[in-house]
Amino acid sequence: MPLLVMKFGGTSVATLDRIRRVAKRVGREVANGYDVIVIVSAMAGKTNELVGWVEETSPLFDAREYDAVVSSGENVTAGLMALTLQEMDVPARSWQGWQVPLKTSPVHAAARIEEIPTDNINAKFAEGMKVAVVAGFQGVTEEGRIATLGRGGSDTTAVAFAAAFGAERCDIYTDVDGVYTTDPRISQKARKLEKIAFEEMLELASLGAKVLQTRSVELAMRYKVPLRVLSSFEEYDPNAGTLVCDEEEIMESNVVSGVAYSRDEAKVTLVSVADRPGVASAIFGTLSEAAVNVDMIIQNISEEGRTDMTFSCPTNQVARADRTVQDARDKGLINFHDIVVDNDVCKVSVVGIGMRSHTGVAAKMFDALSAEGINIKVITTSEIKISVLVDRKYLELAVQALHDAFGLEKAG
């Protein structure tokens, strides 16, 4: 039988009525001749509730017990989904991570998938099971302890199962009906894309688009797993949603496919850094060890042996970054005069594989922002992306201006 992986997020399974609704979708695919692996998240809000209980019980919690508690939300959903399918006369059973077994690294609360043996589930398919309902977000370590994959890990679980079982496709059901050219809440002209390349989706996910978890897109790109993003709240349509696929499957791409943004950015400048070989390594190596997520980096021209070093990071990591570089200065690892933080910036980016073969994208982007009186503070580029830092008050204006400048409301 051909195999399909279907993943349902927390809002899709938030109530028993919604579980019944998505079970009907699963039953329809079984009727279409598929064996189905369903990956489920915890019911909406449940994981946050479980995390709150852990933190209230033990502020300095044991990560192994944290995983034991927070993974239970997916177990409940998996059991309820299997029961619902059985009531519909669809042969189904639930699987927790250890029963598969989905083998992970021993890093609790942030484990990585190491192996998914297919024997147990395939044996049940051979016996007549039509649907395997698997609890997402979780696996088992070599020591036999439950380990979770980090928030959003059910997307990664779904793609990993699709790769391991050679699924025809992996459908990610969520509360949006696809991938848009930008956030529809900001631009009414935002358009749903029929197809988007893995690389573009990876950039959009890493830049703040909340449709798919970054790790799931990386995995899909590596193993060539076609992903379809669609809504569990829309009526059934076999051509619905957005297909995330290989670049070769897209006949002709727009130069720019989307505009992404990250609202909670900060710009940090180390003023008058002693410029010597290894200074960048000392600064950013220290920040990396402190788990500060540095993004954009700019170093000014050196004058009289000193330079300014600017980088961006999430606003909730500024205090940690400040403390880390101050400690490094106290230890003599780096030498700078002052640290200046701007917490009122945002990052706006244009993304598109068409940039590889077209010139003038940066000039058009900068012209569009200039025409709106928006000053650019920092610029970084890659092969298919240009990002700028601007004042946060201009975020919506910048997104709308760029969406208009590149004509993203029009189909390619």
Side-chain angles (χ1 to χ4, degrees):
M1 286 286 186
L3 187 124
L4 195 64
V5 173
M6 304 172 73
K7 182 264 176 178
F8 294 97
T11 53
S12 300
V13 293
T15 64
L16 291 179
D17 281 343
R18 290 187 181 180
I19 289 174
R20 293 186 191 103
R21 182 186 179 96
V22 299
K24 289 178 182 177
R25 286 184 181 268
V26 176
R28 186 180 289 112
E29 298 297 357
V30 171
N32 289 338
Y34 286 101
D35 285 339
V36 183
I37 296 176
V38 175
I39 310 296
V40 292
S41 298
M43 299 166 84
K46 183 55 65 178
T47 300
N48 287 339
E49 182 181 35
L50 294 169
V51 170
W53 288 350
V54 170
E55 292 176 342
E56 185 177 339
T57 303
S58 176
L60 299 174
F61 54 77
D62 179 339
R64 294 166 297 185
E65 303 305 338
Y66 169 93
D67 278 354
V69 174
V70 301
S71 63
S72 64
E74 281 71 17
N75 297 342
V76 171
T77 312
L80 291 172
M81 179 70 76
L83 285 170
T84 304
L85 288 163
Q86 289 170 12
E87 287 296 305
M88 296 165 49
D89 293 326
V90 176
R93 65 154 282 189
S94 65
W95 298 76
Q96 296 178 16
W98 64 270
Q99 293 172 307
V100 175
L102 188 154
K103 301 178 181 179
T104 75
S105 63
V107 183
H108 288 275
R112 301 191 77 83
I113 298 171
E114 293 183 342
E115 184 185 0
I116 302 179
T118 60
D119 295 352
N120 288 346
I121 287 179
N122 277 337
K124 291 299 180 183
F125 277 135
E127 293 173 9
M129 178 185 72
K130 300 304 296 179
V131 181
V133 185
V134 179
F137 173 63
Q138 63 175 257
V140 61
T141 69
E142 191 175 353
E143 296 178 349
R145 296 296 301 253
I146 295 170
T148 63
L149 308 179
R151 298 306 291 266
S154 292
D155 283 355
T156 304
T157 305
V159 175
F161 269 86
F165 283 82
E168 186 175 298
R169 193 179 65 247
C170 179
D171 287 347
I172 305 287
Y173 284 86
T174 179
D175 52 1
V176 296
D177 61 348
V179 180
Y180 279 74
T181 50
T182 196
D183 188 339
R185 294 170 298 181
I186 288 183
S187 174
Q188 294 182 347
K189 297 179 182 177
R191 176 178 56 85
K192 184 167 70 69
L193 297 164
E194 290 185 13
K195 292 183 178 181
I196 187 170
F198 287 126
E199 286 183 78
E200 293 172 319
M201 190 66 244
L202 187 58
E203 290 285 8
L204 290 173
S206 66
L207 290 167
K210 301 293 193 294
V211 179
L212 287 171
Q213 191 212 38
T214 307
R215 278 168 62 192
S216 70
V217 183
E218 289 174 345
L219 206 56
M221 185 163 67
R222 185 185 315 158
Y223 292 102
K224 309 290 187 190
V225 175
L227 285 178
R228 190 170 62 149
V229 180
L230 64 171
S231 171
S232 58
F233 303 107
E234 301 286 325
E235 291 302 316
Y236 177 76
D237 178 354
N239 300 311
T242 299
L243 184 68
V244 188
C245 57
D246 254 345
E247 182 180 336
E248 289 76 18
E249 294 183 44
I250 301 174
M251 289 293 291
E252 189 70 31
S253 295
N254 283 341
V255 178
V256 170
S257 293
V259 180
Y261 66 89
S262 176
R263 191 181 300 274
D264 298 318
E265 296 286 321
K267 180 168 75 82
V268 181
T269 301
L270 300 183
V271 180
S272 190
V273 178
D275 193 9
R276 56 175 176 75
V279 65
S281 174
I283 293 170
F284 297 108
T286 302
L287 290 168
S288 174
E289 289 172 7
V292 175
N293 185 18
V294 172
D295 182 20
M296 309 165 89
I297 300 172
I298 290 182
Q299 181 175 354
N300 288 347
I301 295 171
S302 180
E303 292 185 10
E304 298 180 359
R306 304 195 79 84
T307 185
D308 293 344
M309 190 78 75
T310 297
F311 63 90
S312 67
C313 69
T315 51
N316 62 4
Q317 296 181 11
V318 168
R320 191 189 314 163
D322 189 334
R323 184 174 64 249
T324 299
V325 294
Q326 300 282 13
D327 288 347
R329 179 170 65 177
D330 293 344
K331 294 174 183 176
L333 300 176
I334 54 178
N335 181 301
F336 62 93
H337 287 171
D338 198 8
I339 181 168
V340 177
V341 177
D342 183 353
N343 276 308
D344 294 317
V345 296
C346 66
K347 179 171 62 179
V348 181
S349 310
V350 295
V351 174
I353 53 177
M355 290 187 197
R356 293 195 184 113
S357 54
H358 290 77
T359 59
V361 177
K364 181 181 281 191
M365 181 180 188
F366 303 154
D367 282 348
L369 295 175
S370 173
E372 298 293 345
I374 301 172
N375 185 47
I376 298 170
K377 296 174 177 284
V378 178
I379 303 166
T380 61
T381 65
S382 72
E383 192 178 26
I384 66 166
K385 174 191 71 177
I386 304 171
S387 296
V388 296
L389 282 187
V390 300
D391 285 331
R392 191 173 299 144
K393 65 183 178 181
Y394 293 125
L395 187 150
E396 295 191 6
L397 180 60
V399 169
Q400 291 164 356
L402 294 173
H403 198 275
D404 288 347
F406 290 99
L408 298 184
E409 73 279 5
K410 303 168 190 169

